[in-house]
Amino acid sequence: MACTSCSTGSKSGTPRGCKNNGTCGTDSCNKLTVFDWLSNMSLPGGQEPFDCVEVRFKNGRKEFYRNAEKLTLSIGDIVATEAAPGHDIGIVTLTGELVKIQMKKKGAKPNGEVPKIYRKASQKDIDIWSECRAKEEPMKVVAREIAIKLNLEMKISDIEFQGDASKATFYYTANDRVDFRQLIKDFAREFSIRIEMKQVGFRQEAARLGGIGSCGRELCCSTWLTDFRSVNTSAARYQQLSLNPQKLAGQCGKLKCCLNYELDTYLDALKGMPDMDTKLYTEKGDAVCQKVDIFKGLMWFAYLNDMAHWHVIAADQVKEMVAINKQKEKISALEDYAVEVAATEPEKNFQNAVGQDSLTRFDAPKNKKRKPNNNKKKKPAEATASNIIVPANNGSASAGSNNAPANGGNNNRPNNGNNPNNNKGGNRNNRNRGRNQGPNNKKDSNDKK
């Protein structure tokens, strides 16, 4: 996710639009953002605004705090909040009445005990906070090396410093219970800071770190999904998916949460379909179901003695056959009820109009021949004796008459500048006449152009 002003056009890859490197005031560059759709609405007369705000910390961790000092806070403000011990630094992500709805959604009591906001962060607080954030990555590398030396089956996934640099929280994942008493002593000796260990699940780890899923989009758990429901392999069976662990598992190593998104729709569609365990009794032998297409309402059956050949039967026909078998009667054959797949599926004619399907479309050499430029102005046709129109004595025009002079430029018609063709022809003949007057220039008249 990113705000509209963010862009990664620089060589370093950092956003150059909002100049905040993912911590812009609109909170659109961050994880688990909430759009404040009540921001433009005014409160009724006499009602005070809600005094709690939502504050975001590292990797999408959010907490609610009470604005006991009546500070003027808006989205994007950096504040110093209450912590045990000391104080922490966070960014305000939500204010107003929508905070009350978020608190009820996450099980927090708006009127209960809520930690408070001390003040807006000063420049000194921000400097200390920035220095702590810069230490986290190299510190995580050293912490992993210490855990490996102690042969502990755990993974240090993330480290988060408190805003005042008095405490560091180590987030780790492990399959079993880990005795990290010696690990805490080594961490305190190495880093000289108060240590707190917090175990998170594999899904929570993926949500904190983020990433890109197999669909090409950001992980749902790091953008909008907050409640993790259990996912079973039966969800894949109902949706006719292959039970391939590599395709069904997400980056956390567990089954993808998106398997539950369309499960209810599939369950509703399967109510009108016979079960996959449906068995048909025919005179040729017993038949079992191999495949179901709930969208087209088709089922594929095969004989037990001939499993290689499948027969496509409509779901309504299967119900009729099951009703006949319940009366202890056998069906003649599946071929009597089979449906032609070609008749149910329309023909698909794919046309490669622009050559996008060709793998060698970029290998063909480019045509470097330049096309002739036809936009050049054409030269006007030369006046000849055959296309000159000479007025007759009676006022009518005739073409190619004996009255036309041979030189094409001297005629009885006066040249007052209104006939440009005659002027061109006369000037051209005069130039040719001057060339032919030379003593050594003897050429045949047929060679003239």
Side-chain angles (χ1 to χ4, degrees):
M1 299 177 68
C3 63
T4 56
S5 60
C6 279
S7 62
T8 56
S10 60
K11 295 182 180 180
S12 60
T14 57
R16 64 178 182 182
C18 62
K19 303 295 183 181
N20 286 302
N21 298 333
T23 58
C24 60
T26 60
D27 199 46
S28 298
C29 297
N30 307 310
K31 303 175 183 178
L32 301 175
T33 58
V34 178
F35 178 73
D36 190 3
W37 48 275
L38 295 176
S39 59
N40 297 328
M41 299 179 64
S42 59
L43 295 173
Q47 182 176 353
E48 295 182 357
F50 190 57
D51 58 348
C52 289
V53 296
E54 185 185 61
V55 181
R56 178 182 59 82
F57 300 95
K58 183 183 177 182
N59 286 339
R61 183 175 68 90
K62 293 185 177 182
E63 301 292 341
F64 299 101
Y65 294 90
R66 192 176 301 280
N67 186 9
E69 302 296 332
K70 304 297 181 180
L71 302 174
T72 303
L73 301 177
S74 59
I75 295 176
D77 292 340
I78 302 176
V79 294
T81 62
E82 181 182 354
H87 67 273
D88 204 351
I89 303 297
I91 302 174
V92 178
T93 57
L94 201 61
T95 59
E97 295 296 320
L98 199 60
V99 180
K100 187 184 297 184
I101 300 176
Q102 290 293 110
M103 293 179 71
K104 292 180 180 179
K105 181 180 178 181
K106 295 183 179 181
K109 296 181 179 180
N111 298 326
E113 293 184 1
V114 180
K116 62 181 180 178
I117 294 176
Y118 289 146
R119 63 185 183 277
K120 285 188 177 182
S122 61
Q123 187 60 40
K124 183 179 179 180
D125 296 332
I126 296 174
D127 293 340
I128 296 174
W129 179 46
S130 300
E131 291 176 1
C132 295
R133 294 291 296 270
K135 296 178 182 178
E136 290 174 353
E137 286 301 323
M139 190 174 176
K140 183 170 64 176
V141 176
V142 177
R144 288 179 176 179
E145 293 176 354
I146 296 174
I148 292 173
K149 290 180 181 179
L150 296 176
N151 296 325
L152 297 177
E153 295 183 358
M154 59 183 298
K155 176 186 175 183
I156 306 295
S157 60
D158 192 18
I159 298 176
E160 181 180 359
F161 266 91
Q162 195 167 287
D164 56 354
S166 62
K167 185 178 70 173
T169 303
F170 289 75
Y171 295 91
Y172 72 95
T173 57
N175 293 323
D176 298 326
R177 187 176 179 179
V178 179
D179 186 7
F180 46 77
R181 289 176 292 181
Q182 182 63 34
L183 181 66
I184 294 177
K185 295 179 182 179
D186 295 344
F187 282 172
R189 187 184 307 109
E190 178 70 23
F191 305 122
S192 301
I193 196 174
R194 182 185 177 92
I195 303 298
E196 180 180 353
M197 303 294 294
K198 184 174 291 187
Q199 184 177 3
V200 294
F202 293 98
R203 290 183 175 178
Q204 285 80 6
E205 178 190 13
R208 287 183 60 86
L209 301 181
I212 304 297
S214 58
C215 58
R217 304 186 65 179
E218 293 186 58
L219 298 180
C220 299
C221 54
S222 63
T223 52
W224 61 272
L225 186 63
T226 56
D227 54 337
F228 300 101
R229 300 180 182 179
S230 61
V231 184
N232 301 324
T233 55
S234 59
R237 294 192 183 96
Y238 285 128
Q239 300 178 46
Q240 307 297 324
L241 299 176
S242 61
L243 300 179
N244 188 354
Q246 295 180 354
K247 293 184 178 181
L248 297 180
Q251 291 191 1
C252 57
K254 306 295 182 181
L255 292 176
K256 295 179 180 179
C257 298
C258 56
L259 293 175
N260 285 337
Y261 294 169
E262 298 180 353
L263 181 60
D264 295 337
T265 305
Y266 276 87
L267 293 176
D268 293 339
L270 286 172
K271 290 181 180 179
M273 297 284 294
D275 297 334
M276 283 285 295
D277 300 334
T278 302
K279 192 173 183 179
L280 300 178
Y281 302 95
T282 64
E283 296 178 358
K284 290 187 176 182
D286 298 343
V288 292
C289 181
Q290 300 291 333
K291 179 184 174 182
V292 175
D293 190 343
I294 64 174
F295 298 107
K296 296 179 181 179
L298 300 176
M299 301 182 70
W300 281 257
F301 284 85
Y303 292 107
L304 293 177
N305 53 9
D306 188 9
M307 298 295 291
H309 295 85
W310 293 5
H311 303 278
V312 185
I313 305 175
D316 298 334
Q317 296 290 335
V318 174
K319 292 180 180 179
E320 295 180 2
M321 298 167 70
V322 171
I324 294 174
N325 292 145
K326 286 183 178 180
Q327 297 177 2
K328 298 182 179 181
E329 297 180 4
K330 291 186 177 181
I331 305 164
S332 58
L334 294 177
E335 291 79 2
D336 298 339
Y337 298 89
V339 179
E340 295 183 1
V341 180
T344 58
E345 296 182 359
E347 296 182 358
K348 299 178 181 179
N349 296 326
F350 297 99
Q351 296 180 358
N352 187 12
V354 294
Q356 293 181 353
D357 298 335
S358 176
L359 296 177
T360 60
R361 61 184 183 273
F362 297 114
D363 298 339
K366 296 182 179 179
N367 188 9
K368 297 182 179 180
K369 294 181 180 180
R370 295 182 180 179
K371 296 182 180 180
N373 191 1
N374 297 326
N375 296 328
K376 294 182 179 180
K377 296 182 180 180
K378 296 181 179 179
K379 296 181 179 180
E382 295 181 358
T384 58
S386 60
N387 59 10
I388 294 177
I389 301 174
V390 180
N393 295 329
N394 56 359
S396 61
S398 62
S401 63
N402 296 328
N403 296 329
N407 57 6
N410 297 327
N411 51 11
N412 297 327
R413 188 175 180 180
N415 187 6
N416 54 2
N418 296 328
N419 192 355
N421 292 328
N422 291 336
N423 293 333
K424 293 180 180 179
N427 296 332
R428 189 178 298 108
N429 291 331
N430 292 332
R431 290 195 298 269
N432 294 333
R433 191 182 297 112
R435 296 191 190 99
N436 295 331
Q437 288 177 359
N440 297 327
N441 191 5
K442 295 180 181 180
K443 292 183 180 181
D444 190 4
S445 60
N446 294 327
D447 296 334
K448 296 179 180 180
K449 295 183 180 180

